[in-house]
Amino acid sequence: AHVVVQEHRERSLLEALQETIDSCQKNQTAPMMVRGQKQDHVYIHTPQELLSLGAVWYLPPDSPRDPSLGVKPVRLAMEDIDRLLKPGSYLRVHHTPRRFPAVDRYDWGKRFDNAEFFDPGMNILERPGVVVAEDELLGYRIVMKPEGVP
């Protein structure tokens, strides 16, 4: 994670994210660990990709930096791209966020069928379901957690 504290002037979130990305690229001298394997080169995401992946967290300038005081960072999304950051704002940016592509292989609203399995050649509309049982009135859903999903 790369932490940026805005100190001098008001600026856009997009500008601040680009600055952290540039800094990360300049300071990458040693191989980095990505998913347990050493990489000589790590793909650097754009500000828009980092926001879409949920890799950017924000605290306003007057918030305490200690989560035990009740204020926790807020995850930013693409809707926040035009946000202006005031002096003293805090950003935590994860430049190499963990990704779990197996999540997209399943339909998380469809019933599980024992005969179903994931086939890489499947049409997106044919994704297998994972729901074993659910009760909207009681407010629960039980799913068969697929392999490769955290």
Side-chain angles (χ1 to χ4, degrees):
H2 188 76
V3 178
V4 176
V5 179
Q6 308 295 324
E7 294 181 6
H8 306 301
R9 61 184 171 87
E10 188 173 277
R11 62 181 160 168
S12 71
L13 173 61
L14 186 61
E15 180 185 356
L17 286 175
Q18 190 60 57
E19 184 179 298
T20 69
I21 291 167
D22 294 344
S23 173
C24 182
Q25 284 178 318
K26 286 178 193 169
N27 295 328
Q28 184 184 341
T29 55
M32 297 179 73
M33 292 294 287
V34 177
R35 294 190 191 134
Q37 298 175 355
K38 277 190 178 180
Q39 303 282 322
D40 288 329
H41 176 73
V42 175
Y43 176 75
I44 303 294
H45 295 280
T46 66
Q48 293 83 354
E49 289 172 325
L50 291 170
L51 287 166
S52 295
L53 291 168
V56 181
W57 297 79
Y58 167 78
L59 270 175
D62 54 349
S63 299
R65 302 292 188 251
D66 184 354
S68 67
L69 297 175
V71 181
K72 295 183 180 178
V74 175
R75 185 182 303 218
L76 298 181
M78 275 301 294
E79 300 83 51
D80 300 300
I81 193 103
D82 295 325
R83 179 187 292 257
L84 285 178
L85 301 176
K86 298 194 182 313
S89 296
Y90 169 87
L91 287 180
R92 185 172 67 230
V93 182
H94 298 272
H95 291 101
T96 55
R98 291 173 56 188
R99 299 173 83 179
F100 301 95
V103 170
D104 298 326
R105 297 178 184 157
Y106 300 90
D107 184 337
W108 293 87
K110 185 176 165 186
R111 299 287 296 184
F112 172 76
D113 178 358
N114 269 339
E116 293 182 11
F117 62 94
F118 176 73
D119 174 6
M122 276 185 180
N123 180 318
I124 191 98
L125 300 175
E126 299 171 339
R127 294 181 300 173
V130 295
V131 178
V132 175
E134 72 180 315
D135 187 324
E136 288 186 29
L137 186 62
L138 294 176
Y140 72 85
R141 178 180 282 181
I142 300 171
V143 298
M144 177 70 71
K145 182 176 144 322
E147 185 179 332
V149 175

